[in-house]
Amino acid sequence: MDDDDFDTPWKEVVMCHFPEFMAFYFPLAHAAIDWSRPHAFLDQEFGALARDAELGKRVLDKLVSVYLHDGREQWVLVHLEVQGWRDARFAERMFVYNYRVYDRYRRPVASLALLTDDGRRWRPSSFAYRLLGCRMGIEFPVVKLLDYADRLDELRQHENPFALVTMAHLQARQTKGNAHRRRIAKWKLTKLLYQRDWDRQRIINLYRVIDWIMRLPTGLEVRLRSGMLEIERRRAMVYLSSIERIGMEIGRKEGLKLGLQEGRQVGLQEGRQEGRQEGRQEGRQEGRQEGWAEGLTALLVQRFGPLDAHVLSRIAEADVPQLSAWARNFVDATSLDEVFRNR
C-alpha cells in the first residue's frame, strides 16, 4: 500500500477516535491516562520540529497532550508508520523526534510506534549509541498489525473500531493481486461496520479508512457501493448511501491522481512546485466531475438497467451542481424521469 503523505483517513480516524486508538494498540498507556480530562493535538508544536528534520517521508506523526491520573499533564508522541518495507532509520527518527521535543520545550515525551509492514522479525524498538563511557538512546513500545494475523475471529467480535481497521490492513495484504477476493473481504468488513451500534460520523470515519486501505478497481467498487445502498435503504439508514458522498469520494481519488500527473507535467515547464499546485487544482476539479458522473451512471444502471446514448451524453456534459441535483433526486426516484426532473 502506498503512502498518501499526511492526507490519509488514518489521520482523521486517529484524531477523531484517539482514546480508542490508544486502548486498542497501547492499553498500558491508555490505562495511565485520565480520559475524563481533555486531550489536545499539538500540531503547531510538532510541525515546528519536523519541518527541518530530513528524516524521510512521513505518513502520520502526532504529538498529543494528555493528563495522567496523578494530575500531571504529559505529552505523547504517536508515530504511525504506514509502509510495507523495512526502514533502517526508523528507530533513529523516533530518537531524534523525542529529543527534539525535549530540547525545544523541556517536556518529557512518550514515543509510541505502530507498524504495518510484512516483516515479522523487524521490530525496531530502540536506538542508542555509546562513546567514551557515555550512553545515549531511547526505548519505545512498538505494535505491529501483523501480530493480529492469527486473531481474525477475535477482531470480528471486538467492539473497538480499530479492530476493523486492523482487519482491513491484514486482509488487504492477504488479497493483494486478487481483486475479487478483496471485494468479498471488503464487503464482509463493511457489513460488520453497519452492524455496530455506532453513530453516523464514526461509521463514516471508519469506512473511509477501510475504503482507503482496501482499494478496488472502479467496477468492483461500484458493485460494492451498490450493495451498501441496498443495505441502507432496507434499514432506513443515512450513512454512506448518499450518491453525493460516493461521487465526492470517487472524484477525490481521481482528482488526486489527475492532479499529480498534470502537476508533474506543468512543473517540468514552469517550475515543479507551481506546476503541482496548478495540476492538483485542475485535477481535483476534473476528477470531481468525472467521479460524480461515473458514480451516478453506475447507480442508474444498477436500478434502471442500460442507459441510452442521450442519457449518457447528458450526464457526461453536466457540471457538478447539476449532477448533485440529479443525485439527490435519485435517492427516492422510481424512474429516470424522476431523476432528471427539475425542482
Side-chain angles (χ1 to χ4, degrees), residues 128-170:
Y129 63 86
R130 294 177 180 272
L131 181 64
L132 302 178
C134 175
R135 185 182 186 278
M136 190 72 170
I138 185 176
E139 295 181 358
F140 51 89
V142 59
V143 174
K144 299 199 72 165
L145 297 189
L146 197 60
D147 292 340
Y148 295 89
D150 299 326
R151 301 166 57 184
L152 292 183
D153 288 339
E154 176 185 338
L155 294 177
R156 289 188 186 94
Q157 302 299 323
H158 209 294
E159 290 300 317
N160 191 298
F162 286 94
L164 297 186
V165 174
T166 301
M167 284 184 66
H169 266 284
L170 294 173

Side-chain angles (χ1 to χ4, degrees), residues 13 25 39 47 55 57 76 81 90 97-98 104 131 149 159 196 219 256 267 275 284 286 293 317 326:
V13 78
Y25 296 119
H39 60 274
L55 294 173
K57 187 177 181 181
V76 177
E81 185 80 357
F90 177 81
Y97 282 158
N98 190 288
R104 178 70 66 88
L131 181 64
E159 290 300 317
R196 297 294 193 263
L256 287 173
R284 286 191 183 99
E286 295 180 12
E317 295 174 1
W326 291 339

Side-chain angles (χ1 to χ4, degrees), residues 196-208:
R196 297 294 193 263
D197 186 20
W198 290 335
D199 61 77
R200 176 182 181 274
Q201 192 57 52
R202 174 171 295 202
I203 289 180
I204 290 175
N205 292 344
L206 269 294
Y207 181 76
R208 285 199 65 198

